[in-house]
Amino acid sequence: MTGSTRMKRHYSPLPRLAIFSTTRADDWKPDAGFISLFNGTDLTGWCYRAKTDKNATNAGEITEKFDGKTESGDHYYSIKDGIFTVSFPNEMDKLTGQIYTVAEFPKNFVLKIEFRASVNADSGIFLRKPQLQCRDYLVAGPYKELKKYKPQDWNTIIVTVKDNVAHCECNGEVLEDALKLPATGPVGLEGDRGQMEYRHIQLKELD
């Protein structure tokens, strides 16, 4: 990323996250103590953010919200039957390949997210700002030695954030043991290559 944007930190306590519905197309509900970051029906609670310098510690200011919309104007993000579909943006500027929650998460938390990747698909999950690669791992890497990854099927990533460090697993296998994070920021998804599908995106804040 180029340029820089100073961002006023916005701390969103758990009660304000009630904007996310727990009603899903398949009647799925988040686990006990978790809140849903994706209502399964539309892009409410998600947004585009301004581009920031790669060395900046905070995600950019909100530039566009998608409340009530089932698809972004550029067609890169769409919702149908409880699935959040991310498609590859063809233009050179990949800013529109990044979508974020409006809410930010300064507390320790556990994030659970299910994904299904097309062959050789390349995506990512933004954790406050740093990115965890989320891909068709056995083909696209970087974690090609995973034993429990299910190609073109649903897989589960669990991220546990404590003291600004993230421990990340896919189907119980470690992806990153100690990914350093800034003090606060949103959760985001990236489109880079191919098609990715996400569902059951849920988060629990920890004391």
Side-chain angles (χ1 to χ4, degrees):
M1 295 184 180
T2 60
S4 62
T5 300
R6 293 188 63 187
M7 173 179 160
K8 182 179 179 180
R9 289 185 178 179
H10 173 65
Y11 294 90
S12 178
L14 188 58
R16 296 191 64 180
L17 303 180
I19 58 174
F20 300 113
S21 170
T22 59
T23 301
R24 307 298 291 254
D26 59 356
D27 294 326
W28 174 85
K29 286 181 171 54
D31 296 340
F34 283 75
I35 51 127
S36 177
L37 301 187
F38 162 51
N39 65 22
T41 302
D42 57 42
L43 289 167
T44 295
W46 292 78
C47 65
Y48 281 163
R49 290 175 176 265
K51 184 184 297 183
T52 60
D53 183 84
K54 65 179 180 180
N55 296 319
T57 58
N58 295 319
E61 297 280 359
I62 294 170
T63 59
E64 182 179 4
K65 295 182 179 180
F66 298 111
D67 290 1
K69 296 182 179 180
T70 58
E71 187 176 50
S72 59
D74 50 31
H75 311 299
Y76 299 140
Y77 303 94
S78 61
I79 309 301
K80 185 177 181 181
D81 298 330
I83 295 176
F84 194 134
T85 300
V86 179
S87 300
F88 170 64
N90 294 314
E91 81 282 6
M92 295 299 293
D93 185 349
K94 296 289 186 66
L95 177 61
T96 49
Q98 301 174 6
I99 193 168
Y100 296 88
T101 59
V102 172
E104 297 191 13
F105 304 98
K107 293 184 178 181
N108 294 334
F109 65 81
V110 176
L111 172 70
K112 296 182 180 181
I113 182 168
E114 296 180 18
F115 75 96
R116 180 167 61 186
S118 63
V119 177
N120 200 33
D122 182 359
S123 182
I125 300 170
F126 295 103
L127 304 170
R128 294 181 177 163
K129 186 181 179 185
Q131 181 185 170
L132 172 69
Q133 295 293 343
C134 186
R135 299 174 171 178
D136 184 24
Y137 289 129
L138 303 188
V139 179
Y143 313 109
K144 291 188 175 183
E145 304 304 317
L146 295 177
K147 304 300 183 184
K148 298 180 181 180
Y149 175 74
K150 296 173 285 186
Q152 288 70 68
D153 201 352
W154 291 105
N155 297 273
T156 301
I157 283 181
I158 298 179
V159 176
T160 302
V161 175
K162 292 184 178 180
D163 300 325
N164 304 327
V165 175
H167 175 86
C168 312
E169 298 182 353
C170 178
N171 300 337
E173 295 181 276
V174 176
L175 302 177
E176 297 290 338
D177 184 48
L179 180 62
K180 294 182 179 180
L181 307 183
T184 189
V187 170
L189 301 174
E190 182 193 46
D192 202 350
R193 181 178 63 243
Q195 179 174 294
M196 293 287 293
E197 294 175 318
Y198 293 94
R199 69 179 184 183
H200 303 170
I201 307 172
Q202 56 180 320
L203 184 144
K204 178 181 180 180
E205 291 187 335
L206 305 174
D207 295 332

